[in-house]
Amino acid sequence: GGEKTVLVFVVMGRSRMERTLVMAIVMLVIYLVGWVQGVMPGGEIMRFGHSKDPKALTYFDLGEFLRERQRMEVSQRLEGASSICDRSDRRIRREVGDLSQLEWDSYADAVLAAKNAVDSSGRNIIHQFAEFHDMFSNEAHGSPKFLCWHRWFIFYWESALRVFNPLVTLPYWDSARDAANPRGAQVFTETRAGSGENGTNVLNGKFKNWNVTFAQPHSVKRFLDESILVENSSKIDALLNNSSGTCEFMRLFEVIHGFVHLFVGGWSLPRALNLPRGEMTQIQVSPNDLVFFLHQYVVSTTWRKIEKLNKGVSQFIVSSWR
């Protein structure tokens, strides 16, 4: 590329010591540029006034983080940016089964690092996101806001994790792949989000015995309730193609989406075992189970399908209020 040509031109014809010095200066400049843009380790962290070392990052306040992100986005708009997204911040999300172990571990380690960071009240990042979801549970569910609100929610979850690892992206679980045998899904294995069923804790993996503090300290429970049918994506596609942008689409989409929540958190199985239902079944605390964030990908993909069908997202959403 052009950068390599310039670099070769600058270095040629000089002594070995001079070449070494020039190369060192160039690499320093490249690193500093990447650091400012948030694509090198420390860039995103320093942008919000924290330590360059993610392991030393012990403070995170969701409110402050969101206000700073919004300030940056408004500033970019005022500077004439056509979009708040650019190539340096492009994020490629991949299905959990398509990730290498190293890629999954990078995500999991970012989550674990984030869990150790707390706000001034001692609430860690899991608590803060779960509480935020609970605060808006009535507005974000059972209404046309469901798609756009949750799309926004997982984007900022991913953005928050990038404070701890600027290169991490949010994986997703495509439950449609596993509709025939959801209990056998790779996401519920030791190498991913951990196994656990019939009301047990998370039994293994990096999230073993996953403990949370919202709304009170407890361990996350999973059921993998086979009495619940995990629908495949064709149902959503058929619903979308046959919808004219009415409340019916939003209501039925949320029901189909909710089947996976009921499968993970349990519906009839907890009653049979005389146990309380798991987090994923309870709207107010569902983000306590990290599978919540992996499942929400269908929100973004459905939003994108609306765009591709030329329905016009804003018009589609507004018409859903009628």
Side-chain angles (χ1 to χ4, degrees):
E3 297 85 359
K4 292 181 180 179
T5 302
V6 172
L7 184 58
V8 171
F9 176 77
V10 170
V11 174
M12 283 181 62
R14 299 180 180 273
S15 68
R16 182 174 181 179
M17 181 176 294
E18 288 175 324
R19 289 199 301 270
T20 302
L21 179 61
V22 170
M23 287 291 291
I25 293 174
V26 170
M27 293 304 295
L28 177 61
V29 170
I30 292 173
Y31 182 90
L32 289 175
V33 170
W35 174 74
V36 170
Q37 292 178 344
V39 299
M40 289 291 190
E44 188 88 298
I45 296 166
M46 290 301 292
R47 189 183 294 165
F48 295 99
H50 298 304
S51 167
K52 287 176 63 177
D53 180 6
K55 294 180 180 179
L57 184 58
T58 58
Y59 177 80
F60 181 90
D61 185 285
L62 180 58
E64 293 177 9
F65 174 76
L66 293 177
R67 285 191 293 272
E68 177 64 14
R69 290 287 306 200
Q70 291 169 354
R71 184 197 65 77
M72 291 169 53
E73 291 165 7
V74 169
S75 176
Q76 290 175 0
R77 290 293 193 188
L78 293 176
E79 292 173 0
S82 59
S83 171
I84 61 172
C85 300
D86 56 40
R87 290 182 180 274
S88 68
D89 194 39
R90 179 170 293 178
R91 309 175 187 188
I92 299 176
R93 295 174 180 167
R94 299 172 58 200
E95 216 275 338
V96 292
D98 296 333
L99 298 178
S100 68
Q101 193 58 48
L102 179 61
E103 289 170 327
W104 170 261
D105 288 346
S106 294
Y107 170 74
D109 288 343
V111 173
L112 293 174
K115 191 181 182 185
N116 291 327
V118 299
D119 64 7
S120 57
S121 299
R123 302 172 303 171
N124 66 28
I125 193 171
I126 310 298
H127 185 120
Q128 293 179 61
F129 269 88
E131 186 173 25
F132 192 87
H133 185 267
D134 177 44
M135 288 171 56
F136 290 92
S137 59
N138 291 332
E139 292 85 351
H141 299 85
S143 83
K145 298 178 183 178
F146 178 80
L147 276 176
C148 55
W149 193 93
H150 284 83
R151 188 170 188 254
W152 174 92
F153 188 67
I154 63 170
F155 172 78
Y156 282 107
W157 164 258
E158 181 181 61
S159 298
L161 294 183
R162 288 165 73 88
V163 171
F164 300 86
N165 181 348
L167 302 179
V168 78
T169 55
L170 174 65
Y172 64 86
W173 172 37
D174 183 359
S175 57
R177 285 189 181 186
D178 304 303
N181 180 26
R183 274 200 168 197
Q186 186 174 358
V187 68
F188 300 116
T189 63
E190 183 176 4
T191 61
R192 294 297 185 264
S195 62
E197 56 188 47
N198 300 330
T200 66
N201 300 343
V202 181
L203 298 177
N204 46 41
K206 285 182 173 285
F207 304 137
K208 181 179 180 180
N209 296 323
W210 187 247
N211 295 313
V212 293
T213 56
F214 182 77
Q216 61 276 325
H218 66 284
S219 296
V220 165
K221 302 292 192 295
R222 293 179 184 158
F223 282 88
L224 308 190
D225 191 342
E226 291 183 300
S227 70
I228 300 298
L229 177 65
V230 175
E231 298 283 5
N232 59 45
S233 57
S234 63
K235 292 291 183 72
I236 295 176
D237 292 341
L239 181 64
L240 185 59
N241 289 324
N242 295 326
S243 173
S244 59
T246 63
C247 285
E248 181 185 16
F249 169 80
M250 288 296 180
R251 183 170 60 252
L252 293 178
F253 170 82
E254 194 168 349
V255 168
I256 293 173
H257 175 83
F259 286 153
V260 175
H261 280 267
L262 300 182
F263 166 74
V264 178
W267 184 249
S268 60
L269 183 58
R271 188 182 310 152
L273 297 174
N274 197 27
L275 294 171
R277 292 181 174 122
E279 283 70 19
M280 278 285 278
T281 299
Q282 306 173 54
I283 290 178
Q284 291 78 7
V285 297
S286 51
N288 277 331
D289 190 329
L290 296 174
V291 173
F292 170 92
F293 296 100
L294 306 179
H295 172 50
Q296 296 302 320
Y297 98 100
V298 72
V299 169
S300 284
T301 56
T302 301
W303 184 278
R304 182 59 179 153
K305 287 175 181 178
I306 293 174
E307 293 179 321
K308 287 185 175 180
L309 287 172
N310 297 317
K311 288 183 178 292
V313 171
S314 59
Q315 180 180 356
F316 185 80
I317 298 301
V318 169
S319 67
S320 296
W321 283 98
R322 297 173 185 169

PDB file of all heavy atoms in Angstrom, residues 272-300:
ATOM      1  N   ALA A 272     -42.480 -28.131  37.973  1.00  0.00           N
ATOM      2  CA  ALA A 272     -42.434 -29.579  38.218  1.00  0.00           C
ATOM      3  C   ALA A 272     -41.369 -29.935  39.246  1.00  0.00           C
ATOM      4  O   ALA A 272     -41.528 -30.894  40.019  1.00  0.00           O
ATOM      5  CB  ALA A 272     -42.162 -30.311  36.905  1.00  0.00           C
ATOM      6  N   LEU A 273     -40.278 -29.177  39.266  1.00  0.00           N
ATOM      7  CA  LEU A 273     -39.183 -29.440  40.201  1.00  0.00           C
ATOM      8  C   LEU A 273     -39.328 -28.650  41.498  1.00  0.00           C
ATOM      9  O   LEU A 273     -38.455 -28.719  42.373  1.00  0.00           O
ATOM     10  CB  LEU A 273     -37.840 -29.090  39.540  1.00  0.00           C
ATOM     11  CG  LEU A 273     -37.457 -29.911  38.303  1.00  0.00           C
ATOM     12  CD1 LEU A 273     -36.179 -29.361  37.669  1.00  0.00           C
ATOM     13  CD2 LEU A 273     -37.287 -31.383  38.665  1.00  0.00           C
ATOM     14  N   ASN A 274     -40.430 -27.880  41.590  1.00  0.00           N
ATOM     15  CA  ASN A 274     -40.685 -27.053  42.770  1.00  0.00           C
ATOM     16  C   ASN A 274     -39.530 -26.075  43.025  1.00  0.00           C
ATOM     17  O   ASN A 274     -39.053 -25.914  44.150  1.00  0.00           O
ATOM     18  CB  ASN A 274     -40.918 -27.925  44.010  1.00  0.00           C
ATOM     19  CG  ASN A 274     -41.574 -27.151  45.150  1.00  0.00           C
ATOM     20  OD1 ASN A 274     -42.296 -26.170  44.912  1.00  0.00           O
ATOM     21  ND2 ASN A 274     -41.294 -27.554  46.382  1.00  0.00           N
ATOM     22  N   LEU A 275     -39.108 -25.425  41.951  1.00  0.00           N
ATOM     23  CA  LEU A 275     -38.012 -24.462  42.024  1.00  0.00           C
ATOM     24  C   LEU A 275     -38.445 -23.135  41.400  1.00  0.00           C
ATOM     25  O   LEU A 275     -39.309 -23.112  40.513  1.00  0.00           O
ATOM     26  CB  LEU A 275     -36.778 -24.989  41.268  1.00  0.00           C
ATOM     27  CG  LEU A 275     -36.098 -26.233  41.847  1.00  0.00           C
ATOM     28  CD1 LEU A 275     -35.047 -26.749  40.861  1.00  0.00           C
ATOM     29  CD2 LEU A 275     -35.450 -25.915  43.190  1.00  0.00           C
ATOM     30  N   PRO A 276     -37.853 -22.024  41.832  1.00  0.00           N
ATOM     31  CA  PRO A 276     -38.153 -20.749  41.174  1.00  0.00           C
ATOM     32  C   PRO A 276     -37.566 -20.725  39.773  1.00  0.00           C
ATOM     33  O   PRO A 276     -36.568 -21.402  39.494  1.00  0.00           O
ATOM     34  CB  PRO A 276     -37.466 -19.717  42.085  1.00  0.00           C
ATOM     35  CG  PRO A 276     -36.379 -20.477  42.780  1.00  0.00           C
ATOM     36  CD  PRO A 276     -36.909 -21.869  42.965  1.00  0.00           C
ATOM     37  N   ARG A 277     -38.182 -19.982  38.892  1.00  0.00           N
ATOM     38  CA  ARG A 277     -37.695 -19.897  37.523  1.00  0.00           C
ATOM     39  C   ARG A 277     -36.370 -19.150  37.466  1.00  0.00           C
ATOM     40  O   ARG A 277     -36.046 -18.337  38.318  1.00  0.00           O
ATOM     41  CB  ARG A 277     -38.739 -19.213  36.639  1.00  0.00           C
ATOM     42  CG  ARG A 277     -39.997 -20.066  36.469  1.00  0.00           C
ATOM     43  CD  ARG A 277     -41.016 -19.396  35.568  1.00  0.00           C
ATOM     44  NE  ARG A 277     -42.140 -20.301  35.305  1.00  0.00           N
ATOM     45  CZ  ARG A 277     -43.401 -20.045  35.586  1.00  0.00           C
ATOM     46  NH1 ARG A 277     -43.711 -18.894  36.159  1.00  0.00           N
ATOM     47  NH2 ARG A 277     -44.355 -20.920  35.311  1.00  0.00           N
ATOM     48  N   GLY A 278     -35.596 -19.422  36.410  1.00  0.00           N
ATOM     49  CA  GLY A 278     -34.286 -18.803  36.258  1.00  0.00           C
ATOM     50  C   GLY A 278     -34.375 -17.374  35.759  1.00  0.00           C
ATOM     51  O   GLY A 278     -35.440 -16.868  35.393  1.00  0.00           O
ATOM     52  N   GLU A 279     -33.232 -16.717  35.724  1.00  0.00           N
ATOM     53  CA  GLU A 279     -33.169 -15.294  35.371  1.00  0.00           C
ATOM     54  C   GLU A 279     -33.715 -14.996  33.980  1.00  0.00           C
ATOM     55  O   GLU A 279     -34.397 -13.990  33.773  1.00  0.00           O
ATOM     56  CB  GLU A 279     -31.717 -14.805  35.470  1.00  0.00           C
ATOM     57  CG  GLU A 279     -31.216 -14.556  36.875  1.00  0.00           C
ATOM     58  CD  GLU A 279     -31.033 -15.834  37.668  1.00  0.00           C
ATOM     59  OE1 GLU A 279     -30.939 -16.919  37.045  1.00  0.00           O
ATOM     60  OE2 GLU A 279     -30.993 -15.765  38.894  1.00  0.00           O
ATOM     61  N   MET A 280     -33.419 -15.847  33.013  1.00  0.00           N
ATOM     62  CA  MET A 280     -33.814 -15.541  31.637  1.00  0.00           C
ATOM     63  C   MET A 280     -35.335 -15.474  31.464  1.00  0.00           C
ATOM     64  O   MET A 280     -35.830 -14.844  30.535  1.00  0.00           O
ATOM     65  CB  MET A 280     -33.221 -16.568  30.682  1.00  0.00           C
ATOM     66  CG  MET A 280     -31.793 -16.288  30.292  1.00  0.00           C
ATOM     67  SD  MET A 280     -31.623 -14.934  29.107  1.00  0.00           S
ATOM     68  CE  MET A 280     -31.988 -15.785  27.558  1.00  0.00           C
ATOM     69  N   THR A 281     -36.089 -16.109  32.342  1.00  0.00           N
ATOM     70  CA  THR A 281     -37.545 -16.063  32.267  1.00  0.00           C
ATOM     71  C   THR A 281     -38.096 -14.774  32.865  1.00  0.00           C
ATOM     72  O   THR A 281     -39.200 -14.365  32.551  1.00  0.00           O
ATOM     73  CB  THR A 281     -38.150 -17.289  32.983  1.00  0.00           C
ATOM     74  OG1 THR A 281     -37.703 -18.474  32.322  1.00  0.00           O
ATOM     75  CG2 THR A 281     -39.664 -17.271  32.967  1.00  0.00           C
ATOM     76  N   GLN A 282     -37.327 -14.137  33.716  1.00  0.00           N
ATOM     77  CA  GLN A 282     -37.785 -12.944  34.428  1.00  0.00           C
ATOM     78  C   GLN A 282     -37.243 -11.687  33.743  1.00  0.00           C
ATOM     79  O   GLN A 282     -36.044 -11.437  33.744  1.00  0.00           O
ATOM     80  CB  GLN A 282     -37.309 -12.989  35.878  1.00  0.00           C
ATOM     81  CG  GLN A 282     -37.702 -14.271  36.609  1.00  0.00           C
ATOM     82  CD  GLN A 282     -37.071 -14.368  37.977  1.00  0.00           C
ATOM     83  OE1 GLN A 282     -37.204 -13.471  38.807  1.00  0.00           O
ATOM     84  NE2 GLN A 282     -36.356 -15.458  38.237  1.00  0.00           N
ATOM     85  N   ILE A 283     -38.127 -10.903  33.160  1.00  0.00           N
ATOM     86  CA  ILE A 283     -37.724  -9.727  32.388  1.00  0.00           C
ATOM     87  C   ILE A 283     -36.821  -8.818  33.198  1.00  0.00           C
ATOM     88  O   ILE A 283     -35.801  -8.319  32.705  1.00  0.00           O
ATOM     89  CB  ILE A 283     -38.962  -8.951  31.899  1.00  0.00           C
ATOM     90  CG1 ILE A 283     -39.703  -9.750  30.827  1.00  0.00           C
ATOM     91  CG2 ILE A 283     -38.563  -7.577  31.370  1.00  0.00           C
ATOM     92  CD1 ILE A 283     -40.968  -9.088  30.329  1.00  0.00           C
ATOM     93  N   GLN A 284     -37.176  -8.583  34.447  1.00  0.00           N
ATOM     94  CA  GLN A 284     -36.459  -7.581  35.243  1.00  0.00           C
ATOM     95  C   GLN A 284     -34.993  -7.926  35.465  1.00  0.00           C
ATOM     96  O   GLN A 284     -34.155  -7.035  35.599  1.00  0.00           O
ATOM     97  CB  GLN A 284     -37.156  -7.388  36.598  1.00  0.00           C
ATOM     98  CG  GLN A 284     -38.513  -6.706  36.525  1.00  0.00           C
ATOM     99  CD  GLN A 284     -39.631  -7.631  36.074  1.00  0.00           C
ATOM    100  OE1 GLN A 284     -39.417  -8.844  35.933  1.00  0.00           O
ATOM    101  NE2 GLN A 284     -40.806  -7.070  35.846  1.00  0.00           N
ATOM    102  N   VAL A 285     -34.667  -9.208  35.524  1.00  0.00           N
ATOM    103  CA  VAL A 285     -33.290  -9.595  35.867  1.00  0.00           C
ATOM    104  C   VAL A 285     -32.616 -10.435  34.780  1.00  0.00           C
ATOM    105  O   VAL A 285     -31.521 -10.950  34.992  1.00  0.00           O
ATOM    106  CB  VAL A 285     -33.251 -10.372  37.212  1.00  0.00           C
ATOM    107  CG1 VAL A 285     -33.733  -9.504  38.356  1.00  0.00           C
ATOM    108  CG2 VAL A 285     -34.081 -11.652  37.113  1.00  0.00           C
ATOM    109  N   SER A 286     -33.236 -10.559  33.615  1.00  0.00           N
ATOM    110  CA  SER A 286     -32.698 -11.460  32.584  1.00  0.00           C
ATOM    111  C   SER A 286     -31.262 -11.157  32.166  1.00  0.00           C
ATOM    112  O   SER A 286     -30.510 -12.090  31.846  1.00  0.00           O
ATOM    113  CB  SER A 286     -33.615 -11.479  31.354  1.00  0.00           C
ATOM    114  OG  SER A 286     -33.915 -10.186  30.908  1.00  0.00           O
ATOM    115  N   PRO A 287     -30.782  -9.884  32.168  1.00  0.00           N
ATOM    116  CA  PRO A 287     -29.382  -9.655  31.794  1.00  0.00           C
ATOM    117  C   PRO A 287     -28.371 -10.225  32.788  1.00  0.00           C
ATOM    118  O   PRO A 287     -27.173 -10.228  32.495  1.00  0.00           O
ATOM    119  CB  PRO A 287     -29.274  -8.114  31.730  1.00  0.00           C
ATOM    120  CG  PRO A 287     -30.674  -7.650  31.475  1.00  0.00           C
ATOM    121  CD  PRO A 287     -31.524  -8.608  32.253  1.00  0.00           C
ATOM    122  N   ASN A 288     -28.830 -10.699  33.943  1.00  0.00           N
ATOM    123  CA  ASN A 288     -27.896 -11.349  34.880  1.00  0.00           C
ATOM    124  C   ASN A 288     -27.272 -12.593  34.267  1.00  0.00           C
ATOM    125  O   ASN A 288     -26.139 -12.958  34.595  1.00  0.00           O
ATOM    126  CB  ASN A 288     -28.628 -11.739  36.172  1.00  0.00           C
ATOM    127  CG  ASN A 288     -28.750 -10.584  37.145  1.00  0.00           C
ATOM    128  OD1 ASN A 288     -27.909  -9.687  37.173  1.00  0.00           O
ATOM    129  ND2 ASN A 288     -29.799 -10.601  37.950  1.00  0.00           N
ATOM    130  N   ASP A 289     -28.034 -13.274  33.393  1.00  0.00           N
ATOM    131  CA  ASP A 289     -27.506 -14.441  32.688  1.00  0.00           C
ATOM    132  C   ASP A 289     -26.869 -13.949  31.392  1.00  0.00           C
ATOM    133  O   ASP A 289     -27.526 -13.345  30.552  1.00  0.00           O
ATOM    134  CB  ASP A 289     -28.630 -15.433  32.380  1.00  0.00           C
ATOM    135  CG  ASP A 289     -28.096 -16.778  31.872  1.00  0.00           C
ATOM    136  OD1 ASP A 289     -27.030 -16.797  31.228  1.00  0.00           O
ATOM    137  OD2 ASP A 289     -28.768 -17.800  32.102  1.00  0.00           O
ATOM    138  N   LEU A 290     -25.594 -14.224  31.214  1.00  0.00           N
ATOM    139  CA  LEU A 290     -24.872 -13.691  30.059  1.00  0.00           C
ATOM    140  C   LEU A 290     -25.391 -14.222  28.730  1.00  0.00           C
ATOM    141  O   LEU A 290     -25.106 -13.645  27.681  1.00  0.00           O
ATOM    142  CB  LEU A 290     -23.383 -13.994  30.213  1.00  0.00           C
ATOM    143  CG  LEU A 290     -22.720 -13.305  31.415  1.00  0.00           C
ATOM    144  CD1 LEU A 290     -21.287 -13.776  31.567  1.00  0.00           C
ATOM    145  CD2 LEU A 290     -22.775 -11.793  31.273  1.00  0.00           C
ATOM    146  N   VAL A 291     -26.169 -15.316  28.756  1.00  0.00           N
ATOM    147  CA  VAL A 291     -26.792 -15.806  27.522  1.00  0.00           C
ATOM    148  C   VAL A 291     -27.753 -14.760  26.970  1.00  0.00           C
ATOM    149  O   VAL A 291     -28.003 -14.705  25.766  1.00  0.00           O
ATOM    150  CB  VAL A 291     -27.510 -17.147  27.777  1.00  0.00           C
ATOM    151  CG1 VAL A 291     -28.318 -17.591  26.560  1.00  0.00           C
ATOM    152  CG2 VAL A 291     -26.484 -18.226  28.124  1.00  0.00           C
ATOM    153  N   PHE A 292     -28.278 -13.908  27.851  1.00  0.00           N
ATOM    154  CA  PHE A 292     -29.172 -12.824  27.425  1.00  0.00           C
ATOM    155  C   PHE A 292     -28.547 -12.016  26.296  1.00  0.00           C
ATOM    156  O   PHE A 292     -29.185 -11.763  25.266  1.00  0.00           O
ATOM    157  CB  PHE A 292     -29.468 -11.912  28.620  1.00  0.00           C
ATOM    158  CG  PHE A 292     -30.183 -10.626  28.263  1.00  0.00           C
ATOM    159  CD1 PHE A 292     -31.559 -10.559  28.299  1.00  0.00           C
ATOM    160  CD2 PHE A 292     -29.470  -9.480  27.912  1.00  0.00           C
ATOM    161  CE1 PHE A 292     -32.222  -9.383  27.975  1.00  0.00           C
ATOM    162  CE2 PHE A 292     -30.113  -8.302  27.592  1.00  0.00           C
ATOM    163  CZ  PHE A 292     -31.493  -8.249  27.617  1.00  0.00           C
ATOM    164  N   PHE A 293     -27.309 -11.587  26.470  1.00  0.00           N
ATOM    165  CA  PHE A 293     -26.656 -10.730  25.479  1.00  0.00           C
ATOM    166  C   PHE A 293     -26.355 -11.494  24.193  1.00  0.00           C
ATOM    167  O   PHE A 293     -26.400 -10.918  23.101  1.00  0.00           O
ATOM    168  CB  PHE A 293     -25.382 -10.130  26.072  1.00  0.00           C
ATOM    169  CG  PHE A 293     -25.637  -9.218  27.231  1.00  0.00           C
ATOM    170  CD1 PHE A 293     -25.460  -9.664  28.541  1.00  0.00           C
ATOM    171  CD2 PHE A 293     -26.083  -7.923  27.035  1.00  0.00           C
ATOM    172  CE1 PHE A 293     -25.714  -8.841  29.614  1.00  0.00           C
ATOM    173  CE2 PHE A 293     -26.337  -7.081  28.105  1.00  0.00           C
ATOM    174  CZ  PHE A 293     -26.160  -7.540  29.401  1.00  0.00           C
ATOM    175  N   LEU A 294     -26.058 -12.779  24.324  1.00  0.00           N
ATOM    176  CA  LEU A 294     -25.780 -13.591  23.139  1.00  0.00           C
ATOM    177  C   LEU A 294     -27.043 -13.820  22.326  1.00  0.00           C
ATOM    178  O   LEU A 294     -26.983 -13.971  21.098  1.00  0.00           O
ATOM    179  CB  LEU A 294     -25.185 -14.941  23.562  1.00  0.00           C
ATOM    180  CG  LEU A 294     -23.957 -14.903  24.474  1.00  0.00           C
ATOM    181  CD1 LEU A 294     -23.518 -16.329  24.818  1.00  0.00           C
ATOM    182  CD2 LEU A 294     -22.820 -14.132  23.827  1.00  0.00           C
ATOM    183  N   HIS A 295     -28.191 -13.858  22.982  1.00  0.00           N
ATOM    184  CA  HIS A 295     -29.472 -14.114  22.320  1.00  0.00           C
ATOM    185  C   HIS A 295     -30.028 -12.879  21.634  1.00  0.00           C
ATOM    186  O   HIS A 295     -30.810 -12.998  20.672  1.00  0.00           O
ATOM    187  CB  HIS A 295     -30.467 -14.640  23.358  1.00  0.00           C
ATOM    188  CG  HIS A 295     -31.870 -14.756  22.845  1.00  0.00           C
ATOM    189  ND1 HIS A 295     -32.196 -15.395  21.659  1.00  0.00           N
ATOM    190  CD2 HIS A 295     -33.055 -14.300  23.360  1.00  0.00           C
ATOM    191  CE1 HIS A 295     -33.507 -15.343  21.475  1.00  0.00           C
ATOM    192  NE2 HIS A 295     -34.048 -14.682  22.483  1.00  0.00           N
ATOM    193  N   GLN A 296     -29.646 -11.693  22.074  1.00  0.00           N
ATOM    194  CA  GLN A 296     -30.273 -10.469  21.559  1.00  0.00           C
ATOM    195  C   GLN A 296     -29.878 -10.136  20.122  1.00  0.00           C
ATOM    196  O   GLN A 296     -30.401  -9.185  19.544  1.00  0.00           O
ATOM    197  CB  GLN A 296     -29.932  -9.284  22.470  1.00  0.00           C
ATOM    198  CG  GLN A 296     -30.488  -9.392  23.879  1.00  0.00           C
ATOM    199  CD  GLN A 296     -31.997  -9.529  23.915  1.00  0.00           C
ATOM    200  OE1 GLN A 296     -32.724  -8.896  23.155  1.00  0.00           O
ATOM    201  NE2 GLN A 296     -32.485 -10.385  24.807  1.00  0.00           N
ATOM    202  N   TYR A 297     -28.981 -10.930  19.533  1.00  0.00           N
ATOM    203  CA  TYR A 297     -28.561 -10.624  18.165  1.00  0.00           C
ATOM    204  C   TYR A 297     -29.750 -10.589  17.214  1.00  0.00           C
ATOM    205  O   TYR A 297     -29.762  -9.848  16.223  1.00  0.00           O
ATOM    206  CB  TYR A 297     -27.550 -11.664  17.669  1.00  0.00           C
ATOM    207  CG  TYR A 297     -28.163 -12.755  16.827  1.00  0.00           C
ATOM    208  CD1 TYR A 297     -28.080 -12.714  15.439  1.00  0.00           C
ATOM    209  CD2 TYR A 297     -28.875 -13.804  17.404  1.00  0.00           C
ATOM    210  CE1 TYR A 297     -28.674 -13.690  14.660  1.00  0.00           C
ATOM    211  CE2 TYR A 297     -29.459 -14.781  16.633  1.00  0.00           C
ATOM    212  CZ  TYR A 297     -29.358 -14.725  15.264  1.00  0.00           C
ATOM    213  OH  TYR A 297     -29.954 -15.682  14.492  1.00  0.00           O
ATOM    214  N   VAL A 298     -30.774 -11.392  17.499  1.00  0.00           N
ATOM    215  CA  VAL A 298     -31.933 -11.461  16.597  1.00  0.00           C
ATOM    216  C   VAL A 298     -32.626 -10.107  16.510  1.00  0.00           C
ATOM    217  O   VAL A 298     -33.285  -9.796  15.523  1.00  0.00           O
ATOM    218  CB  VAL A 298     -32.911 -12.563  17.065  1.00  0.00           C
ATOM    219  CG1 VAL A 298     -33.641 -12.157  18.343  1.00  0.00           C
ATOM    220  CG2 VAL A 298     -33.913 -12.895  15.967  1.00  0.00           C
ATOM    221  N   VAL A 299     -32.461  -9.277  17.547  1.00  0.00           N
ATOM    222  CA  VAL A 299     -33.035  -7.937  17.515  1.00  0.00           C
ATOM    223  C   VAL A 299     -32.380  -7.110  16.411  1.00  0.00           C
ATOM    224  O   VAL A 299     -33.051  -6.470  15.595  1.00  0.00           O
ATOM    225  CB  VAL A 299     -32.853  -7.249  18.887  1.00  0.00           C
ATOM    226  CG1 VAL A 299     -33.182  -5.770  18.801  1.00  0.00           C
ATOM    227  CG2 VAL A 299     -33.726  -7.932  19.933  1.00  0.00           C
ATOM    228  N   SER A 300     -31.034  -7.140  16.364  1.00  0.00           N
ATOM    229  CA  SER A 300     -30.314  -6.375  15.338  1.00  0.00           C
ATOM    230  C   SER A 300     -30.566  -6.930  13.943  1.00  0.00           C
ATOM    231  O   SER A 300     -30.738  -6.176  12.992  1.00  0.00           O
ATOM    232  CB  SER A 300     -28.811  -6.381  15.634  1.00  0.00           C
ATOM    233  OG  SER A 300     -28.503  -5.489  16.684  1.00  0.00           O
TER     234      SER A 300
END
